[in-house]
Amino acid sequence: VQLQASGGGLVQAGGSLRLSCAAPGRTFINYVMGWFRQASGKEREFLAGIRWRPESAWYEDSVLGRSTISRDSTKNTMYLEMNDLKPEDTAAYYCAASKIYGLRTVHGWESWGRGTLVTVSS
């Protein structure tokens, strides 16, 4: 599955952002999807995942309560809305696809999109 992440940009601390992940011409219906981020000099970390059908989501503690992962089946698009952004949220954000539910590391994801950069200014 070829993935395309978008929606990154520059945002002030305390602001919000919605990232999108699409797979042109493909459907996510048989996959679980996830969001990751990688800050400069750090390892890629899991943020949230979602199963397409039936819909079910799981989150990493670092974003739980201020992020929402969702999907729009009609658009074959996954989203990550992040609120109350902090400078430490600055990173490249990636989406990924897997056939395995509940993954929390980079292992087991079979497709990755290019990152979209989020910069949070203080």
Side-chain angles (χ1 to χ4, degrees), residues 6-7 9 17 26 35 56 58 62-63 65-68 71 88 119:
S6 61
L17 210 59
R26 299 295 298 270
W35 283 103
S56 177
W58 69 103
S62 59
V63 297
R66 61 187 185 97
S67 295
T68 302
R71 90 291 192 265
E88 51 264 41
T119 303

Side-chain angles (χ1 to χ4, degrees), residues 16-17 20 25 30 33-35 38 44 54 56 58-60 69 71 81 86 88 94 96 99 107 110:
S16 300
L17 210 59
S20 301
N30 294 317
M33 305 294 297
W35 283 103
Q38 187 167 17
R44 191 168 299 188
S56 177
W58 69 103
Y59 296 86
E60 193 62 20
I69 189 171
R71 90 291 192 265
E81 183 167 350
K86 309 174 189 302
E88 51 264 41
Y94 298 87
K99 294 289 184 66
H107 303 293
E110 55 186 66

Side-chain angles (χ1 to χ4, degrees), residues 11-19 35-37 39 42 45-48 58-70 79-91 93 118-121:
V11 62
Q12 288 188 332
S16 300
L17 210 59
R18 188 175 79 160
L19 306 179
W35 283 103
F36 292 76
R37 69 183 177 192
K42 295 188 176 181
E45 64 171 334
F46 170 79
L47 298 177
W58 69 103
Y59 296 86
E60 193 62 20
D61 288 345
S62 59
V63 297
L64 185 64
R66 61 187 185 97
S67 295
T68 302
I69 189 171
S70 62
Y79 303 99
L80 181 70
E81 183 167 350
M82 300 185 66
N83 303 307
D84 190 24
L85 286 163
K86 309 174 189 302
E88 51 264 41
D89 293 317
T90 295
Y93 284 70
V118 173
T119 303
V120 183
S121 62

